[in-house]
């Protein structure tokens, strides 16, 4: 099973991603996590990614695609995966040809996301300042909402109310997933 999780920051993608990974027995992969690891490297690429992330901006499509393609080519992802944080632009979605089964959209209002994130801001992520969070929300509407439409038209979108409880959201996703997935 190859799943993509889409949602504003704070929508609960990593929580649901980890639950789905266990249930479906496929690895969970987050591009934000990959970029945070690269940002620790003391190289020009590491510094560039760190600055871009800390400002809340997106890494350019070409670089993002290169990294995601490299990861998904690894043996552990051949059976399937839960991908969180990618694609975030229509450029990324159009270039990504990987036989995705479903795209799960966790729908949460800006207000709810900001409320959840203000509690966790800067606890453990250097790129989690309120300014960066607001920027990410703005970029989500501008660049990622068209990605949701792209998958809706392809018939692969599965929409879930992300303001329900963790258990209810998980159940709702599982109910809507195709049965007999490999
Ligand atoms: P996230 O943990 O998904 O909120 O991602 C944190 C940061 O990593 C984002 O604000 C971007 O700077 C970068 N990032 C993650 N995924 C992508 C992507 N698909 N395209 C561009 N930038 C990304």
């Amino acid at each position: 099973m190859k799943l993509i999780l889409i949602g504003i920051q704070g929508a609960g993608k990593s929580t649901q991603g980890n639950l789905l990974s266990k249930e479906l027995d496929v690895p969970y992969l987050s591009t934000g996590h990959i970029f945070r690891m690269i940002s620790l490297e003391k190289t020009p690429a590491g510094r560039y990614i760190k600055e871009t992330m800390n400002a809340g901006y997106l890494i350019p499509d070409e670089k993002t695609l290169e990294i995601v393609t490299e990861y998904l080519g690894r043996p552990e992802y051949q059976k399937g995966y839960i991908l969180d944080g990618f694609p975030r632009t229509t450029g990324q979605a159009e270039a990504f040809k990987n036989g995705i089964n479903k795209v799960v959209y966790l729908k949460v209002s800006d207000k709810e996301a900001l409320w959840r994130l203000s509690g966790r801001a800067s606890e453990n992520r250097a790129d989690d300042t309120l300014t960066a969070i607001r920027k990410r929300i703005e970029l989500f509407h501008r660049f990622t909402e068209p990605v949701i439409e792209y998958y809706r038209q392809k018939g692969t979108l599965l929409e879930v109310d992300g303001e329900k409880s963790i258990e209810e959201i998980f159940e709702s996703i599982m109910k809507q997933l195709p049965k007999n997935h490999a």
Side-chain angles (χ1 to χ4, degrees):
M1 173 75 85
K2 294 177 178 172
L3 285 187
I4 282 175
L5 291 174
I6 294 190
I8 212 158
Q9 196 191 356
K13 297 188 299 297
S14 70
T15 303
Q16 294 299 328
N18 282 296
L19 289 172
L20 288 164
S21 162
K22 244 191 229 160
E23 182 75 18
L24 302 170
D25 195 25
V26 288
Y28 165 76
L29 185 66
S30 138
T31 48
H33 179 72
I34 297 173
F35 286 135
R36 271 188 290 283
M37 286 194 304
I38 300 175
S39 76
L40 300 176
E41 294 169 7
K42 304 265 175 276
T43 58
R47 273 191 290 276
Y48 167 73
I49 286 183
K50 185 176 174 185
E51 278 168 24
T52 309
M53 288 181 80
N54 286 356
Y57 286 103
L58 294 174
I59 311 297
D61 285 353
E62 203 184 328
K63 183 85 200 146
T64 304
L65 279 158
E66 181 192 311
I67 291 171
V68 171
T69 307
E70 193 271 307
Y71 265 79
L72 295 183
R74 296 181 183 180
E76 60 266 40
Y77 299 111
Q78 298 323 301
K79 204 168 60 133
Y81 47 78
I82 316 283
L83 188 53
D84 165 357
F86 175 93
R88 255 184 164 84
T89 65
T90 43
Q92 292 177 10
E94 281 162 6
F96 186 58
K97 305 263 179 289
N98 212 280
I100 289 300
N101 297 100
K102 283 284 169 198
V103 175
V104 178
Y105 172 32
L106 290 173
K107 209 169 169 183
V108 163
S109 70
D110 292 2
K111 199 173 155 207
E112 173 69 17
L114 268 169
W115 171 249
R116 292 181 187 178
L117 292 166
S118 58
R120 100 179 180 201
S122 352
E123 257 172 39
N124 45 24
R125 274 178 56 170
D127 64 326
D128 250 3
T129 61
L130 216 54
T131 317
I133 291 167
R134 281 187 199 281
K135 187 77 206 165
R136 272 186 218 114
I137 291 180
E138 180 200 323
L139 295 184
F140 177 86
H141 292 302
R142 184 146 34 116
F143 294 112
T144 311
E145 261 165 16
V147 175
I148 295 169
E149 277 319 303
Y150 173 86
Y151 286 117
R152 200 192 306 276
Q153 275 172 23
K154 280 196 173 295
T156 39
L157 194 77
L158 187 162
E159 218 165 310
V160 184
D161 179 356
E163 299 196 14
K164 293 248 163 69
S165 73
I166 292 174
E167 295 76 19
E168 282 172 308
I169 297 169
F170 178 63
E171 250 176 57
S172 166
I173 299 173
M174 286 308 297
K175 247 194 261 165
Q176 297 182 67
L177 284 182
K179 307 288 172 253
N180 303 323
H181 47 76

